[in-house]
Amino acid sequence: AGPGARAAAAVYPRRVEISRRALEGVEGGALLAPAGVLRGTASVGLREAFEREMREGAKALLLDLGAVESIDSATMGFLLDAH
């Protein structure tokens, strides 16, 4: 890969940090809180976490985007479709 690929990797990290905890008082509820930049391949981790929660039977899922620095339109579209 050339210098452009290295620059793109620096701008678009491959993974985003996502914390998870149960929602207090909500049976089957979970809170996912990603932190960082949700663009390109970095958003894959959020999609995987969201889909895993749904497969495992989450009855309520809350996303805390307070620590997200920026989000691309594809990730926003995914979140809107999931809603």
Side-chain angles (χ1 to χ4, degrees):
R6 281 190 296 264
V11 173
Y12 300 111
R14 291 194 174 161
R15 289 286 183 187
V16 66
E17 190 70 29
I18 302 170
S19 64
R20 182 209 183 275
R21 66 181 173 102
L23 285 176
E24 195 171 312
V26 179
E27 185 177 337
L31 171 82
L32 297 178
V37 176
L38 289 175
R39 282 195 229 151
T41 57
S43 65
V44 171
L46 177 61
R47 291 174 190 231
E48 290 171 348
F50 186 90
E51 290 169 354
R52 181 175 46 253
E53 292 293 335
M54 299 311 291
R55 270 194 319 274
E56 293 176 0
K59 296 191 180 8
L61 187 57
L62 180 66
L63 294 176
D64 177 357
L65 301 176
V68 172
E69 296 171 28
S70 67
I71 187 168
D72 67 6
S73 60
T75 305
M76 185 60 75
F78 166 77
L79 294 175
L80 291 172
D81 284 343
H83 178 263

